[in-house]
């Protein structure tokens, strides 16, 4: 009888944790989509990769606060959803993989190493992933390996802005998130 009670108690706790994780992940997918879709600027130069948006902010926050799985799903799905719903559909598979990997790496690093410096390092690595991933994507899409170089400054500005904002807000958000989990 006692082992059944313990098993049911663990099952309810596991179920509750899974629901919490699913809700948080869904919320961050939505936030990433919204910050990408509604807070953006199309650059007047370069190829189709010249879009600056704030979608990396909720992506990085999700990864730092809730881990690699939430970060990967929030980034990959949130931004790929933007691509599909805004007419950039050809980019969606590249976005899913590239941005999903960005979220995974940030969450992976910050789970093991905490603090300002590790948050910064993880997001700089994510910037590298974005530059390489989107360079390859744009090269494949356009069939031209020179044009993607015009998108690199926009990617740096986009992710660099997110890094600054996230470094400013993640500390207080970590304290608030501990109360949730």
């Amino acid at each position: 009888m006692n082992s059944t009670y313990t098993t049911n108690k663990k099952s309810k706790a596991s179920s509750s944790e899974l629901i919490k994780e699913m809700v948080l992940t869904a919320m961050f997918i939505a936030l990433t989509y919204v910050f990408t879709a509604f807070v953006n600027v199309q650059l007047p130069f370069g190829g189709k990769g010249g879009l600056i948006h704030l979608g990396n902010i909720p992506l990085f926050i999700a990864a730092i606060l809730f881990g690699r799985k939430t970060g990967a799903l929030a980034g990959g799905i949130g931004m790929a959803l933007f691509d599909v719903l805004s007419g950039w559909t050809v980019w969606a598979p590249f976005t899913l993989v590239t941005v999903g990997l960005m979220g995974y790496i940030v969450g992976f690093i910050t789970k093991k190493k905490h603090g300002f410096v590790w948050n910064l390092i993880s997001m700089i690595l994510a910037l590298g992933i974005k530059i390489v991933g989107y360079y390859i994507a744009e090269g494949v899409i356009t069939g031209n390996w020179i044009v993607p170089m015009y998108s690199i400054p926009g990617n740096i500005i986009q992710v660099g802005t997110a890094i600054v904002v996230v470094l400013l807000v993640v500390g207080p958000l970590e304290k608030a998130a501990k109360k949730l989990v």
Side-chain angles (χ1 to χ4, degrees):
M1 177 90 85
N2 190 17
S3 67
T4 303
Y5 174 75
T6 305
T7 302
N8 286 339
K9 191 173 180 181
K10 284 181 183 176
S11 178
K12 286 180 185 177
S14 298
S15 170
S16 174
E17 290 300 314
L18 179 61
I19 291 169
K20 213 183 274 188
E21 182 182 343
M22 288 171 49
V23 169
L24 284 168
T25 300
M27 181 185 75
F28 276 103
I29 288 169
L31 285 170
T32 302
Y33 169 76
V34 168
F35 275 56
T36 304
F38 300 110
V39 189
N40 67 54
V41 175
Q42 176 74 41
L43 293 176
F45 57 86
K48 280 291 225 178
L51 180 72
I52 296 178
H53 59 76
L54 298 180
N56 293 296
I57 293 170
L59 152 64
F60 291 154
I61 290 170
I64 291 168
L65 298 183
F66 302 107
R68 60 187 180 223
K69 184 174 167 186
T70 299
L73 293 172
I77 295 172
M79 287 192 202
L81 186 61
F82 164 78
D83 288 346
V84 169
L85 296 176
S86 61
W88 300 49
T89 309
V90 70
W91 288 85
F94 297 104
T95 296
L96 181 67
V97 172
T98 300
V99 182
L101 185 57
M102 289 170 60
Y104 185 90
I105 289 299
V106 171
F108 179 80
I109 291 170
T110 58
K111 179 180 180 181
K112 296 176 185 271
K113 305 286 187 176
H114 304 284
F116 180 90
V117 172
W118 288 105
N119 290 344
L120 178 60
I121 289 169
S122 71
M123 291 185 285
I124 289 171
L125 288 172
L127 170 59
I129 292 167
K130 181 159 204 121
I131 290 169
V132 170
Y134 278 101
Y135 179 87
I136 292 168
E138 194 168 354
V140 168
I141 290 168
T142 64
N144 182 322
W145 297 98
I146 302 299
V147 170
M149 290 197 288
Y150 292 106
S151 298
I152 292 172
N155 288 331
I156 292 169
I157 292 167
Q158 180 190 114
V159 177
T161 301
I163 290 170
V164 170
V165 171
V166 170
L167 289 173
L168 290 173
V169 303
V170 79
L173 290 174
E174 281 179 308
K175 291 175 186 169
K178 286 180 184 174
K179 293 177 185 175
L180 286 175
V181 183

